[in-house]
Amino acid sequence: MRWFALGAKLCLGVPLAFSATCPSGAPLIHFHLIVEPGDDAPGHSVRSVNRIVPGQKLVYNPIKPLPEHLKKAQVALVLASSRPSEGLVVLEPKSARALAAWKVPVRASVVALVYGPQGLDTKRVSSLLKKDRELVDQLADYAQQTASTETLLNALAAWDRSPTATENLNAALVGFSAAFGRPLPTLNRNAPLDEQMATLMRALNPALSTYDPLAPEPQQRMQQSALLAATVGGLFFGGPVGLAAGGASMFVNLSSMMFPDTDFRSAFAQAGPGESYLMCARRDRPRSRTRLAYLWAVRVPDADPPSLEIVAPARLLAGARTAVGARVGDNTAWRNLPRVRDWYLVCSSDCGGRIPVKVRPVPEKESLEIDLTGAASASGTYKLAGTWDWETFEVAGELEVHGLSGEAPRLAAGAADRLVKGSGRVSVEIEGKDLEFVEKAELLAANADSGAAQPLEFTRRNESAPGAVSLAVSLDTNALEPGSYRLRLNFPEGTVRELSLRLLPPHPKLEGLPIRVNLGEPAQRVLLRGSGLERIERIDSPLAEIELSDGVAAGGREALVRLGRKAARGDRIPFELRVEGLEQPLAVPGALEVIGPRPRITAAQASLPQTLGVELAEGELASGVFAGFSLRVEPLEGAPLARVECLEKELTIRAETARVDETRSSLRLRQAGAALFLSLDPGAFGRPGCTLTVVVSTDAQGPSEPLELGRVVRLPRIDKFEVTDQKVGELGYAATLEGEELELIERVGWDAEAGLPVTELPVPVAGGNKQSLRVTVPWPAPKPRAPLYVWLRGESEGRATSARY
């Protein structure tokens, strides 16, 4: 449980309302210490002024009268001059119970308040003090150390009063680090107080690098409190902090040279209402025949107004908090800027009077945060100004104030094309007005609610045009699925702008490139292979016209290529793919390769066997019997290949390719000069009815157009024909056929127009594939040795055979 040492506070007679602001020790006096400029202008607290010069007044004013037992209490002021020759100046003690004022005799860099509860006996030794520069430096160091300790205690006290233990202590100390330029280490709130305190004290004052908080004597002086602020405050009073700044010799010298018979103690002041101060110190009893005195010192910057310039373009959003770039004259300016008071905007034109604003310097970003929340600011051009003590402080440069426009943001040209699945982390540029005021960027699926928003990182980019700012938003395309999204931009005061995004599937890819096309062809059909082909809307090419088919088949997507007149052999022609969803085309270099004219089969002569036994019709090829072809191909460059296949896919048995002098079981290719000789078994490639084709190609020229060789048919083989003397009704006489595949015969006769049907099935003959078929032939025969005609099943005309009567 958090507690304070209340007894000390009560015995000094200070109201409890003020006691709670002392994180350690006891409250002494609650007072104002004001610097007045010497005219009718209002005074400022000694802590907030930047220069104290001769002619001004220092005014002490107690908040409430001290209790009766402190009727001898006095206060005195010690001034350290900013000029080395003047040293220290002690101003006479005055009653601590009433208003007191001192005229400032020197330009001061340090103001020290000495409080003596039992009074002060001042003995000035001016000549000695002017020579003791070491004492001046020690007092200045003590003032600086006191200020940093007070700032640290304010941060710790606020943290101690936090409602939960989850408050971030390190965040609470950011203000201290910024004010004094000292980075503080990360603290663990769960660590022991001794450990946390030692870490803070060593950062606060490097002179304490060897200080051990666990040593017996320092630990005995620690406040028995659960509060880190109280622990730190107790150490200040005890010496390791307060004395480390100037050493114990400072207090000894002050006692001996200025305040005889006085025992000095270190003190610090905590800020109270209305720029008042509550002096805090450790409870001590004075030694015999000595008075206690408490020393509190304030270091005055003694600085002129800092040099500051607004970096253009600088635009402020009316009614909101905006950061603008700033340029300072030297390194001390950022430290002194928080000491400018009463910031305001003044219009450069006729757009209103002075507008009070809040300004927060942000040194790490070299910017000023200007808060117009609640300010009645009209659109226009303004100058930024403030007060440096009692002087006007004006910032160079101008600020443009305006409200949010109604214009929706948009993707920059080409930005949508980077949103492709699998592209990794990409930066997408957003254009539009007022983008410098965006506070947060979020991504949502098209139909998602606000709770599913995903925060995005973004950076601002200043363009050349005044006020032109774009956003570069970072997206991880690997972590998202293709589809529609909403990019939400959050502006101050709850304003939201959205724009639509689409994450595209991976780009189409063409495989098997380059695609070879021949010169001299009016149009050539090619097959595109790859992925994402269905998204290609158009293909443009500088030397060719490409016409895409509507659909994508399993093997790819067909295209009709027409070469332009300027295309030449050896050209590698690029493609530009116009893809659905992309603004810019995808370049495919060298997609087409132009080769020489394709080979053409200009003549083909068939050589068919004459011993088939059954007549072949024009263009027929007998299955199971090798047929020969003589092919003339022009032009022919390089070693040719012949590919034989069936035109009808449903009748195909197989397709086969043969090179010259390469022998296959059912296909052979030979070359003699410009002639090619092809020998094949038609039945090996297609079933009856198949239209057999051949394509001749070379590596240099590509394939020719297919040439039809003939239609594959099955024919019976007749080895023997006999007519018996057995009469069959009035039709004719019985006859017998022997051979193979006789089941194909449907009718028989003596001419191609009339014949008798076959009513029986062939009977196998022992010894192989031979068959015997009983038929009826018309009688009489037209002449001796007349040839027999047979009708194959499904045919309307008879075929002559080698069988004769």
Side-chain angles (χ1 to χ4, degrees):
M1 182 176 179
R2 300 168 179 168
W3 55 276
F4 294 92
L6 299 179
K9 301 168 187 176
L10 291 173
C11 73
L12 292 175
V14 179
L16 286 178
F18 303 128
S19 66
T21 61
C22 271
S24 180
L28 300 178
I29 52 174
H30 188 212
F31 63 97
H32 286 288
L33 185 58
I34 303 298
V35 181
E36 293 183 351
D39 50 23
D40 294 335
H44 297 321
S45 168
V46 68
R47 252 189 189 153
S48 65
V49 296
N50 301 295
R51 291 174 297 191
I52 297 180
V53 297
Q56 294 178 341
K57 285 185 180 180
L58 283 167
V59 179
Y60 163 83
N61 184 19
I63 300 296
K64 286 188 177 181
L66 294 178
E68 186 63 26
H69 70 275
L70 295 177
K71 60 184 178 180
K72 293 183 178 181
Q74 289 183 310
V75 292
L77 298 182
V78 179
L79 307 182
S81 174
S82 59
R83 298 177 180 177
S85 61
E86 295 179 346
L88 294 178
V89 176
V90 181
L91 304 182
E92 70 274 15
K94 296 190 178 184
S95 173
R97 298 168 59 87
L99 181 72
W102 297 267
K103 190 172 183 179
V104 177
V106 295
R107 183 162 181 156
S109 60
V110 176
V111 175
L113 177 74
V114 180
Y115 168 63
Q118 294 83 31
L120 295 171
D121 182 11
T122 304
K123 180 181 180 181
R124 299 191 183 187
V125 190
S126 300
S127 59
L128 179 61
L129 292 178
K130 290 180 180 179
K131 297 178 182 178
D132 195 348
R133 186 64 200 176
E134 180 181 355
L135 185 57
V136 175
D137 294 339
Q138 289 173 349
L139 184 62
D141 290 342
Y142 176 76
Q144 181 66 28
Q145 192 64 33
T146 302
S148 59
T149 302
E150 290 168 348
T151 304
L152 177 61
L153 290 177
N154 283 332
L156 293 175
W159 175 73
D160 279 332
R161 292 191 296 270
S162 62
T164 67
T166 60
E167 292 289 337
N168 191 331
L169 172 59
N170 301 294
L173 298 177
V174 168
F176 172 83
S177 298
F180 292 93
R182 300 177 188 173
L184 290 180
T186 300
L187 298 181
N188 180 4
R189 184 167 188 167
N190 297 321
L193 284 178
D194 290 346
E195 179 182 328
Q196 297 183 62
M197 173 271 301
T199 302
L200 284 175
M201 288 298 96
R202 287 166 183 164
L204 185 67
N205 188 345
L208 300 178
S209 60
T210 59
Y211 171 68
D212 182 7
L214 302 181
E217 183 179 354
Q219 191 167 6
Q220 291 173 3
R221 294 199 299 262
M222 287 176 58
Q223 295 295 313
Q224 300 300 312
S225 170
L227 299 177
L228 183 58
T231 304
V232 172
L235 283 174
F236 179 87
F237 300 142
V241 177
L243 296 182
S249 61
M250 179 186 68
F251 290 94
V252 173
N253 290 337
L254 288 173
S255 299
S256 62
M257 287 187 268
M258 289 179 286
F259 301 91
D261 303 323
T262 302
D263 188 6
F264 272 91
R265 295 290 183 266
S266 58
F268 61 78
Q270 291 293 278
E275 293 188 320
S276 63
Y277 305 111
L278 180 64
M279 181 181 286
C280 301
R282 192 180 65 190
R283 289 175 296 165
D284 283 304
R285 291 183 179 275
R287 292 193 298 269
S288 176
R289 298 181 181 180
T290 60
R291 297 181 180 90
L292 275 181
Y294 298 93
L295 179 67
W296 171 64
V298 177
R299 191 163 193 166
V300 181
D302 194 28
D304 294 328
S307 174
L308 182 65
E309 180 183 3
I310 299 295
V311 177
R315 306 171 75 220
L316 302 181
L317 183 61
R321 187 182 296 109
T322 311
V324 296
R327 189 181 297 115
V328 298
D330 54 53
N331 294 331
T332 63
W334 286 116
R335 185 174 65 249
N336 290 335
L337 272 178
R339 304 185 66 87
V340 178
R341 64 171 66 240
D342 301 329
W343 290 96
Y344 60 91
L345 294 179
V346 58
C347 192
S348 300
S349 56
D350 187 16
C351 53
R354 177 181 296 190
I355 303 173
V357 295
K358 297 177 183 177
V359 177
R360 183 175 73 91
V362 187
E364 61 273 16
K365 295 184 179 180
E366 295 187 348
S367 64
L368 299 177
E369 184 182 86
I370 303 176
D371 190 356
L372 296 181
T373 304
S377 53
S379 297
T381 303
Y382 291 82
K383 300 283 289 186
L384 178 63
T387 302
W388 186 259
D389 291 345
W390 295 271
E391 299 176 10
T392 298
F393 168 69
E394 187 172 282
V395 180
E398 293 183 333
L399 298 164
E400 190 74 25
V401 177
H402 65 90
L404 283 178
S405 71
E407 180 179 315
R410 61 190 178 277
L411 289 177
D417 289 359
R418 292 194 289 273
L419 293 172
V420 179
K421 173 69 176 179
S423 299
R425 186 166 291 280
V426 299
S427 180
V428 179
E429 190 167 307
I430 311 298
E431 295 178 340
K433 293 184 178 179
D434 309 323
L435 296 180
E436 66 267 41
F437 304 124
V438 172
E439 296 180 330
K440 183 170 59 173
E442 299 173 305
L443 185 69
L444 301 91
N447 300 321
D449 55 26
S450 300
Q454 172 187 344
L456 298 177
E457 297 179 357
F458 68 92
T459 56
R460 291 182 176 87
R461 297 175 179 172
N462 292 325
E463 307 295 339
S464 56
V469 174
S470 63
L471 294 185
V473 180
S474 179
L475 286 170
D476 185 0
T477 62
N478 294 341
L480 301 172
E481 292 303 319
S484 298
Y485 292 87
R486 293 145 51 207
L487 178 62
R488 173 182 294 173
L489 301 178
N490 295 271
F491 292 82
E493 307 305 315
T495 302
V496 174
R497 300 277 191 270
E498 288 190 351
L499 65 159
S500 298
L501 298 179
R502 181 185 172 196
L503 183 65
L504 299 172
H507 288 326
K509 293 182 179 179
L510 297 182
E511 299 173 355
L513 300 180
I515 300 170
R516 305 174 75 192
V517 290
N518 298 94
L519 278 176
E521 297 293 322
Q524 298 170 74
R525 194 166 297 278
V526 298
L527 185 65
L528 304 179
R529 293 184 174 87
S531 59
L533 303 179
E534 70 283 353
R535 294 184 56 222
I536 302 176
E537 297 178 331
R538 191 176 81 238
I539 299 180
D540 297 330
S541 184
L543 295 176
E545 178 184 332
I546 296 96
E547 181 180 335
L548 287 171
S549 65
D550 291 337
V552 178
R557 188 173 183 181
E558 287 189 345
L560 195 64
V561 178
R562 297 181 178 88
L563 290 177
R565 289 182 298 174
K566 295 183 179 180
R569 186 171 183 171
D571 285 346
R572 297 290 293 269
I573 301 176
F575 278 174
E576 282 191 345
L577 306 182
R578 296 289 178 172
V579 179
E580 180 270 329
L582 289 182
E583 295 180 10
Q584 299 298 319
L586 296 179
V588 185
L592 290 180
E593 180 183 5
V594 181
I595 59 177
R598 70 192 306 180
R600 286 179 172 81
I601 305 175
T602 59
Q605 183 178 356
S607 176
L608 305 177
Q610 301 298 319
T611 58
L612 297 177
V614 179
E615 181 182 50
L616 282 173
E618 181 70 26
E620 289 184 336
L621 301 173
S623 176
V625 181
F626 269 79
F629 297 89
S630 173
L631 305 177
R632 180 166 294 277
V633 182
E634 295 178 353
L636 191 60
E637 301 176 8
L641 296 86
R643 180 175 179 81
V644 177
E645 60 184 336
C646 188
L647 189 62
E648 297 82 5
K649 302 298 183 184
E650 67 277 7
L651 299 178
T652 298
I653 296 176
R654 72 170 184 268
E656 194 166 322
T657 301
R659 295 180 180 272
V660 170
D661 297 330
E662 182 181 15
T663 300
R664 300 292 183 91
S665 60
S666 54
L667 181 65
R668 293 190 298 270
L669 181 65
R670 300 289 186 268
Q671 183 177 10
L676 296 179
F677 297 93
L678 189 66
S679 178
L680 56 89
D681 175 7
F685 300 96
R687 291 184 285 273
C690 155
T691 304
L692 208 59
T693 64
V694 61
V695 172
V696 176
S697 63
T698 68
D699 291 340
Q701 299 171 278
S704 69
E705 286 288 344
L707 175 71
E708 294 185 7
L709 297 176
R711 185 170 61 88
V712 178
V713 296
R714 286 177 61 196
L715 296 178
R717 179 176 296 175
I718 300 174
D719 299 329
K720 185 178 180 180
F721 173 52
E722 291 183 349
V723 180
T724 69
D725 58 358
Q726 181 182 355
K727 189 174 183 180
V728 181
E730 298 297 330
L731 298 175
Y733 285 83
T736 301
L737 295 174
E738 288 187 5
E740 296 178 10
E741 299 191 87
L742 301 181
E743 69 276 2
L744 298 174
I745 300 175
E746 187 177 38
R747 290 189 292 167
V748 297
W750 299 113
D751 56 44
E753 284 77 27
L756 297 177
V758 176
T759 59
E760 298 186 21
L761 294 175
V763 177
V765 176
N769 296 324
K770 299 294 185 177
Q771 297 171 312
S772 175
L773 179 63
R774 183 180 172 87
V775 298
T776 300
V777 295
W779 198 258
K783 61 181 179 179
R785 304 295 297 169
L788 181 69
Y789 282 77
V790 296
W791 280 257
L792 302 184
R793 296 186 182 276
E795 293 185 352
S796 58
E797 291 186 3
R799 294 171 181 263
T801 71
S802 59
R804 295 179 181 274
Y805 165 66

